[in-house]
Structures are given as structure tokens and as C-alpha cells.
Amino acid sequence: MSVLVCFHAHPDDEVFGTGGTMRQASDAGHRVVLVTATDGAAGEFPEGILADGETLTARRRDELAKSAEALGVHRVVMLGFSDSGMAGTPENDNPEAFANLSVESAAQALAEILVEEQADVVTIYDSYGGYGHPDHIQVHHVGKRATEIAGTTHVYESVMNRDHFRELVKANAQWDEEDAPNIEKIGVPADQITTELQVGEFIEAKRAAMVAHATQVGDFGPFLDMPIDMLRVAFGREWYRRIDGTNSGPMETALPL
Ligand SMILES: [Zn+2]
């Protein structure tokens, strides 16, 4: 048995990039630990979705637990740092926000978990955090430093495949030109990817994880409307780049668990 630790910024980030990876590792008998840096308190949510007196933070913790269960996760750790919000929002100015913390102190908190769990493989994000969100960028720096402190052997950046994403956007009629994300800044080009996992057989679990994050229906809704076969085409592969940057050999098809 090996131990896989996936480090993410917010509750819900675990689904797209690493959901199939976690389910696959869990089904293969490995221990899977999901660590989330922030509480997701700056997330948007539909009016009226929270019960009387319920906080968004409490709800998102419950949603994360349900998502983790669907993905076969054995342990969820919320580090509980404050959500920094999207770039340019007022939450960015909070000195306590995750993105504003010193990398060293935040990394220490994660490193303790990596040591305790004797993590074999750790996933973080690339240095642009996939699409530039301050918390996602911080996950890269904090995750990288924590794995140095803990002496983790195998560190991978969970990345979006820019070339695949470009095709998705082209195929998605719901995005007109104004709404479409700036693809040239998102993810990494296919030729920088070192590892591609086929996780189409776990698409039902990924879908269940999307459903679990009910407050995030604004993000997941369009995908939940897709037929499952289309969802499998969109999210049936997950991509990584080894942190050491070497990409000379053939494409890996599994993490070293
Ligand atoms: Zn996020």
C-alpha cells in the first residue's frame, strides 16, 4: 500500500483534476488523503441554498466530506486558512488570507501531515495555479516547500491540458467569445505533461463528487447537464507534470504508487 496526498486550494477543487486519480488509487488499495488549504468562504453560491443559521463554511465542509466519500478518500484535512477570493476581489487584502501568508509557516502545517501519513506521492498545482487564482498559486509554493521539508520523493503538479481544454471550449456552445476563458494562459501545453491517467471508468464517481458540491452548482451545473458519455470525454483523463520537470522518457500512465 502506498499513500497518495492531494493538496488543493478550496473544497471542490479536488474533483476535476484529481477525482479519478483518487478513486483509482483507493480502489487499488492505496491510502488516499485529501488536504484543502482554505475553507472556501469566498465562494459564490445560489441565494436560498443555505439553511437558517447555516454558514457557507459549514456547508462546504459537509459537501467536501460527501465528495471525498464518492472519491474513495480515507481522510480529509482542512487546514482552515482564509479563502483569498478571486484575483482583484476585496478578500485579497486580508493579511490572514491564505495567499498572503508566509510560505514557510503554511508549508509547515502541510509538512506535518505529509510526515504523519508518510506520503509517497503528493499532488500540488503548477506555478500559475492552472488559471491564476491567488490561492491556487499559493498551493504550488506551499505544496512544493512542504514536500521539501517532508522529504517527499514523488511530487506532481496537477495540470490542465491546454490543448485538450481548447477543444473543450470550441465544443462548448455555452461559452460565447466574451465568456470564454483566456485559453493561452490556462494550464500547460500538452508537450509539458509527463503523466496522463485514463480515468473514464471512474466518471460516475467524479459526477457524484460534483453533485456533492451543491453550493458550487454555478461551476458544476453545465457539466451535470451533460450526458455521461460527454462528461467522460471531457473529464475522463487527468494530467500531471513531475515537479522535477524531466520529460525525456515516454508519457507515464500512472503515478508511482
Ligand atoms: Zn479553487
Side-chain angles (χ1 to χ4, degrees), residues 9-10 12-13 131 136:
H10 311 101
D12 81 0
D13 288 324
Y131 67 107
H136 287 239

Side-chain angles (χ1 to χ4, degrees), residues 238-257:
E238 293 175 0
W239 293 277
Y240 297 91
R241 180 168 63 183
R242 285 197 306 267
I243 193 100
D244 56 21
T246 54
N247 191 20
S248 50
M251 180 78 86
E252 291 180 330
T253 56
L255 295 175
L257 290 167

Side-chain angles (χ1 to χ4, degrees), residues 8-13 38 60 83 86 125 131 133 135-136:
H8 284 285
H10 311 101
D12 81 0
D13 288 324
T38 78
R60 296 199 73 179
D83 192 335
M86 299 289 279
Y125 301 146
Y131 67 107
H133 189 299
D135 285 332
H136 287 239

Side-chain angles (χ1 to χ4, degrees), residues 20-236:
T21 302
M22 292 194 286
R23 183 75 250 182
Q24 184 182 47
S26 182
D27 286 1
H30 301 297
R31 179 170 169 80
V32 178
V33 179
L34 168 60
V35 182
T36 300
T38 78
D39 53 14
E44 290 175 7
F45 59 95
E47 218 181 301
I49 200 166
L50 298 180
D52 274 355
E54 187 181 36
T55 63
L56 180 61
T57 308
R59 169 63 81 87
R60 296 199 73 179
R61 184 179 298 119
D62 291 347
E63 291 177 349
L64 183 65
K66 287 198 187 92
S67 167
E69 195 184 339
L71 298 173
V73 171
H74 298 92
R75 180 186 178 195
V76 179
V77 181
M78 293 185 84
L79 295 178
F81 296 120
S82 297
D83 192 335
S84 313
M86 299 289 279
T89 58
E91 286 92 348
N92 290 184
D93 300 330
N94 173 9
E96 296 297 316
F98 177 56
N100 296 332
L101 298 180
S102 93
V103 168
E104 197 63 29
S105 66
Q108 201 62 47
L110 176 61
E112 281 173 23
I113 293 159
L114 301 184
V115 170
E116 181 192 336
E117 292 285 350
Q118 299 185 307
D120 296 293
V121 178
V122 176
T123 72
I124 60 173
Y125 301 146
D126 61 86
S127 60
Y128 187 56
Y131 67 107
H133 189 299
D135 285 332
H136 287 239
I137 292 169
Q138 184 77 325
V139 159
H140 170 81
H141 296 296
V142 168
K144 189 165 183 274
R145 180 65 191 130
T147 56
E148 287 167 5
I149 297 168
T152 308
T153 314
H154 302 292
V155 185
Y156 285 79
E157 296 169 343
S158 163
V159 294
M160 284 187 258
N161 180 335
R162 186 180 300 160
D163 297 302
H164 173 72
F165 197 69
R166 188 183 288 116
E167 293 305 312
L168 263 191
V169 171
K170 255 194 232 162
N172 193 331
Q174 294 172 58
W175 277 323
D176 57 30
E177 277 189 16
E178 257 173 52
D179 290 342
N182 182 354
I183 295 160
E184 298 320 313
K185 294 188 81 176
I186 282 183
V188 302
D191 63 5
Q192 289 186 24
I193 289 169
T194 60
T195 312
E196 177 179 280
L197 269 64
Q198 297 289 343
V199 296
E201 67 182 287
F202 307 104
I203 202 70
E204 298 279 1
K206 282 182 87 163
R207 191 179 190 285
M210 291 183 204
V211 171
H213 289 289
T215 60
Q216 303 309 300
V217 68
D219 289 340
F220 290 127
F223 303 113
L224 292 174
D225 291 341
M226 282 183 181
I228 196 78
D229 286 342
M230 227 166 125
L231 209 58
R232 191 176 289 112
V233 170
F235 300 110

